[in-house]
């Protein structure tokens, strides 16, 4: 299995859009109405929205390919791009998604460690993320990676307000 991680540019918008829609739908289908799911997918993975996110110097996207196929992606935020005001010493993992056929092969762990290494390079002291309170697989994974719950915040999908747990890892 040949794995590569690529930092994304504006040339990668379509691939991010397709991978984002697919992995989000695979992960959360059946947890809200089809209308709420479609509203979220249309908003979060709108081409213009993704172009704006890619143009923000405080955000970065990475694609992970396995044998040339897009299998997973990561989005990180620092400074004012963070979705919560966590300060200049924090790096947010806003998105870390792996396609279903590639799950349970260590790809999430590879991307998580990539984010932690970036945080260290940027001299950040904490890595944090929000994860849906009922996403048991992700919660178990993040706990295994050393994150602990430090709070919560609302997450809106269409007109469905859910709760994300804020999980944090202090870097040594």
């Amino acid at each position: 299995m040949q794995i590569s991680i690529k930092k994304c540019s504006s040339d990668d918008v379509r691939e991010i859009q397709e991978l984002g829609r697919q992995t989000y739908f695979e992960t959360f289908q059946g947890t809200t109405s089809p209308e709420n799911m479609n509203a979220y997918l249309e908003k979060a993975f709108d081409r213009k929205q993704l172009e704006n996110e890619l143009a923000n110097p405080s955000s970065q996207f990475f694609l992970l390919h396995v044998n040339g196929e897009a299998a997973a992606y990561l989005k990180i935020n620092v400074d004012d791009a963070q979705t919560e005001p966590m300060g200049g010493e924090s790096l947010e993992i806003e998105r870390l998604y792996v396609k279903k056929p590639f799950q349970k092969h260590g790809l999430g762990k590879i991307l998580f460690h990539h984010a932690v290494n970036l945080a260290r390079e940027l001299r950040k002291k904490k890595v944090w993320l929000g994860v849906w309170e009922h996403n048991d697989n992700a919660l178990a994974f993040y706990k295994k990676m050393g994150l602990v719950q430090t709070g919560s915040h609302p997450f809106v999908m269409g007109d469905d307000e859910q709760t994300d747990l804020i999980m944090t890892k202090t870097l040594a």
Side-chain angles (χ1 to χ4, degrees):
M1 186 162 66
Q2 182 160 353
I3 297 170
S4 64
I5 298 175
K6 171 189 173 189
K7 183 178 177 184
C8 298
S9 70
S10 58
D11 294 337
D12 301 303
V13 168
R14 184 179 175 129
E15 193 169 19
I16 294 167
Q17 186 180 43
E18 290 173 3
L19 187 58
R21 287 177 192 254
Q22 178 182 350
T23 56
Y24 193 88
F25 183 80
E26 286 175 348
T27 303
F28 298 110
Q29 67 180 334
T31 64
T32 190
S33 71
E35 295 79 18
N36 284 333
M37 175 64 75
N38 288 334
Y40 180 80
L41 292 174
E42 288 302 313
K43 180 180 174 190
F45 299 105
D46 174 74
R47 182 176 187 85
K48 194 70 166 163
Q49 174 68 29
L50 291 171
E51 287 171 351
N52 289 337
E53 291 175 22
L54 278 162
N56 185 336
S58 295
S59 295
Q60 296 179 54
F61 283 84
F62 298 88
L63 287 168
L64 185 147
H65 289 89
V66 174
N67 300 328
E69 181 181 346
Y73 82 108
L74 168 71
K75 181 187 180 202
I76 62 160
N77 299 315
V78 295
D79 303 325
D80 61 346
Q82 295 177 88
T83 59
E84 290 286 331
M86 295 296 199
E89 294 185 337
S90 296
L91 178 141
E92 175 188 17
I93 298 173
E94 184 179 356
R95 298 185 189 136
L96 194 165
Y97 287 98
V98 179
K99 281 183 181 176
K100 283 254 188 243
F102 294 97
Q103 290 180 2
K104 309 293 185 199
H105 295 285
L107 303 181
K109 188 175 182 178
I110 290 168
L111 283 177
F112 180 81
H113 287 303
H114 187 73
V116 168
N117 290 336
L118 288 168
R120 287 190 171 113
E121 286 175 21
L122 296 169
R123 295 193 163 97
K124 302 300 180 187
K125 295 187 176 173
K126 292 181 183 179
V127 171
W128 74 276
L129 53 84
V131 59
W132 185 43
E133 65 183 337
H134 299 295
N135 189 343
D136 296 332
N137 288 338
L139 286 166
F141 170 74
Y142 292 127
K143 287 176 184 172
K144 186 176 175 182
M145 294 295 100
L147 286 93
V148 295
Q149 183 183 346
T150 55
S152 66
H153 64 189
F155 179 83
V156 179
M157 193 180 337
D159 64 6
D160 183 12
E161 184 172 307
Q162 302 178 354
T163 300
D164 273 5
L165 303 179
I166 294 174
M167 299 186 75
T168 305
K169 178 182 178 97
T170 301
L171 303 178

